[in-house]
Amino acid sequence: MSASLLSLVSGLTIVALEILIVWRNWSFPLKHGPGYFAGAAVAEGFYESGGRRWLTGYRTLLIVRWLLLAGVVTVVIGSGDWSRMPVIAPVAVVSFLAVQLGYPLLTRYAVGSGRTALQKAALPLKRRRLGEYLSWRSEVLMLTVITASWVLLLTLGGPAVSLACPVITTYIALARLPGQIIVARSGCALPPEQTSEYEHWMEVRKRSSLRFMSAMAWFNALTLASYAVRQSWPAEPWVLWMAVAAIVVSFAVMMVIVFRGLHRMEEAGRGLKPLESFSWPFRRVGLSGRGSVVWAVCYCLGLAVLLVVFRG
Amino acid sequence: MFVTIDSSDPRPLYRQIADGIKDLIARGELSEGMALPGLRQLSGDLGVNLNTIATAYRELQDEGLVKIRHGSGAVVSSTRSHDVQVDELRKPLRAALTRFVLAGATHAEILSVVQRELDSLDSKGVTR
């Protein structure tokens, strides 16, 4: 199989898997029932008035994201330059964060009809330890893979090596760690009714987010490794196979983790009101605190800067 | 394991937290050696000032129930308060009983409430 055919197959696999994201999240804002939109409580009759427009806007964004990704894959495959394949990684990650996290945040403030004010709140007394949420062995292994890839690129890479892919994938993989630490440490007081159920739901949400972040980092680390190996031994056919397999398999694993996480969160949150619809005297209840928002903004800005710097 | 905070409770926030932890210790849900969350975790979760939690922990430490270790949070050090005089305990009890009387509760009703609370502690096997 030629390199161009392989890149075509891997590109199409990624685009096909992304269709599953569109299908899975098509009705994401409605998952809490007709009284809510993307977790925010909405007024009665919302879906008969402006609600449809918001839902259409969300679904349009989902399709635009998929088209953007498909467009990038088409351009990469059309250019015949397989080494540009890693560009897909940042596009997939940033657009996913923007649609799945940014849009619900925006709508929550724009269409929310007031939160349910809680007079009482339950404060969890379980001490959170980073080691319970992050695997340091996995982090060391990832750092080793990234370091080895850079060593390969700098020693055997040759003059054709472009720094865009290595720098961007390294950034995505490593700069997500502070975000993971913030998420692992985050928490909030819980509603006084069904407290254990809410605690379980929060835990599932947190662990699913952390697993997704790790999978995203591994996807980028393996993309970097495959690029480094490919650049170091360009003539070997097995290298091409291995490199493409690493990218496609890690992407598929990331998708499985996303779907499993979404399923678990839905199971755990069944019958519970969205946490974002509560408010109480001390602070807004919710998992995403100020720290994680600041990190997400800095992370995306850093990525945008790198994409501009390496646009050539 | 949770401490319930009520914004309509006239007690200050730090006292509600300290009382909540004491209640869990008295019920045997928090045993000796168990780790409590750090100041940052609790103040972040509740969205209140660090000093509020620090004051609650200091009160627990003064009673010998908790040992605070810098950098590693707090640990339940004992399930019995030290240096607490019976007279000192009588004051809040009297205040609570007064509120019952003012609320119109009868002698029998008050006794029944006290008995239920004691039974609840007994069921955990923590009273002597």
Side-chain angles (χ1 to χ4, degrees):
Chain A
M1 192 183 273
S2 69
S4 57
L5 189 58
L6 262 181
S7 63
L8 180 70
V9 170
S10 54
L12 287 178
T13 309
I14 288 171
V15 170
L17 284 170
E18 281 287 335
I19 289 177
L20 290 177
I21 287 266
V22 176
W23 168 75
R24 186 68 175 72
N25 289 336
W26 191 246
S27 295
F28 166 78
L30 308 176
K31 68 176 178 175
H32 290 291
Y36 300 93
F37 184 82
V42 290
E44 212 174 310
F46 173 74
Y47 290 101
E48 278 77 53
S49 53
R52 282 181 189 280
R53 198 158 38 86
W54 278 99
L55 188 60
T56 310
Y58 168 76
R59 287 175 173 167
T60 309
L61 267 182
L62 267 186
I63 293 170
V64 166
R65 176 182 178 265
W66 181 81
L67 287 174
L68 176 73
L69 204 69
V72 171
V73 171
T74 309
V75 167
V76 169
I77 292 170
S79 71
D81 183 1
W82 183 88
S83 64
R84 288 188 180 181
M85 278 291 276
V87 170
I88 295 165
V91 174
V93 169
V94 172
S95 58
F96 183 82
L97 288 175
V99 176
Q100 291 311 127
L101 299 180
Y103 190 78
L105 270 180
L106 172 75
T107 52
R108 226 163 269 165
Y109 289 103
V111 303
S113 68
R115 300 164 186 270
T116 309
L118 294 175
Q119 202 173 47
K120 291 181 182 175
L123 184 61
L125 281 185
K126 187 182 170 229
R127 188 190 282 184
R128 291 191 288 270
R129 291 187 173 86
L130 270 185
E132 289 172 18
Y133 295 100
L134 300 179
S135 162
W136 296 115
R137 275 187 202 168
S138 166
E139 295 302 324
V140 170
L141 185 61
M142 191 186 300
L143 194 61
T144 310
V145 168
I146 291 171
T147 310
S149 305
W150 274 98
V151 170
L152 269 184
L153 279 173
L154 296 176
T155 52
L156 301 171
V161 170
S162 152
L163 279 182
C165 163
V167 171
I168 291 173
T169 48
T170 302
Y171 173 81
I172 292 176
L174 295 185
R176 89 27 265 188
L177 185 58
Q180 259 185 316
I181 291 172
I182 290 168
V183 171
R185 283 192 170 149
S186 69
C188 66
L190 300 164
E193 310 292 335
Q194 295 180 287
T195 308
S196 299
E197 286 87 344
Y198 273 107
E199 189 189 34
H200 173 64
W201 187 23
M202 289 289 283
E203 192 69 10
V204 169
R205 276 173 69 164
K206 185 191 280 192
R207 288 194 184 273
S208 300
S209 310
L210 292 171
R211 280 195 199 107
F212 167 67
M213 290 168 94
S214 288
M216 178 191 81
W218 270 109
F219 169 51
N220 281 276
L222 291 174
T223 300
L224 168 66
S226 63
Y227 179 77
V229 171
R230 174 85 176 126
Q231 294 298 324
S232 304
W233 296 284
E236 298 286 340
W238 64 269
V239 167
L240 181 65
W241 276 99
M242 198 207 71
V244 171
I247 291 178
V248 174
V249 169
S250 58
F251 187 82
V253 168
M254 184 173 78
M255 297 293 283
V256 168
I257 286 171
V258 168
F259 288 127
R260 281 181 64 183
L262 288 170
H263 178 69
R264 281 180 182 156
M265 282 193 275
E266 272 175 23
E267 286 289 308
R270 203 173 295 263
L272 299 175
K273 285 183 176 179
L275 283 163
E276 293 79 4
S277 67
F278 292 117
S279 78
W280 59 297
F282 308 109
R283 194 189 73 164
R284 184 172 63 81
V285 175
L287 184 60
S288 47
R290 199 180 301 159
S292 48
V293 173
V294 169
W295 167 80
V297 169
C298 294
Y299 186 69
C300 290
L301 278 178
L303 197 49
V305 168
L306 288 179
L307 287 173
V308 169
V309 169
F310 292 109
R311 65 189 180 279
Chain B
M1 208 176 321
F2 309 96
V3 168
T4 304
I5 308 297
D6 187 346
S7 60
S8 66
D9 192 320
R11 290 174 300 163
L13 199 55
Y14 81 87
R15 175 145 330 263
Q16 288 189 49
I17 295 168
D19 287 351
I21 293 174
K22 281 182 209 170
D23 187 53
L24 290 170
I25 293 173
R27 287 174 191 280
E29 289 180 37
L30 275 174
S31 52
E32 211 170 312
M34 277 178 85
L36 291 171
L39 300 181
R40 250 172 237 288
Q41 180 183 321
L42 283 188
S43 67
D45 286 4
L46 204 51
V48 297
N49 196 292
L50 211 64
N51 285 330
T52 306
I53 312 294
T55 309
Y57 273 10
R58 241 191 331 267
E59 186 176 298
L60 293 166
Q61 190 178 30
D62 290 346
E63 288 192 28
L65 293 170
V66 156
K67 194 172 271 179
I68 300 170
R69 293 176 186 151
H70 288 287
S72 62
V75 174
V76 178
S77 55
S78 170
T79 53
R80 303 277 172 235
S81 294
H82 301 156
D83 305 326
V84 178
Q85 304 299 318
V86 174
D87 272 354
E88 218 177 291
L89 297 173
R90 203 175 270 171
K91 285 177 201 163
L93 180 63
R94 192 182 180 86
L97 291 175
T98 308
R99 289 179 70 192
F100 268 107
V101 171
L102 291 174
T106 63
H107 189 94
E109 281 170 345
I110 297 171
L111 273 179
S112 137
V113 169
V114 172
Q115 191 60 53
R116 268 207 306 276
E117 289 300 319
L118 272 176
D119 288 346
S120 144
L121 291 175
D122 275 339
S123 68
K124 305 274 181 184
V126 287
T127 54
R128 284 180 286 198

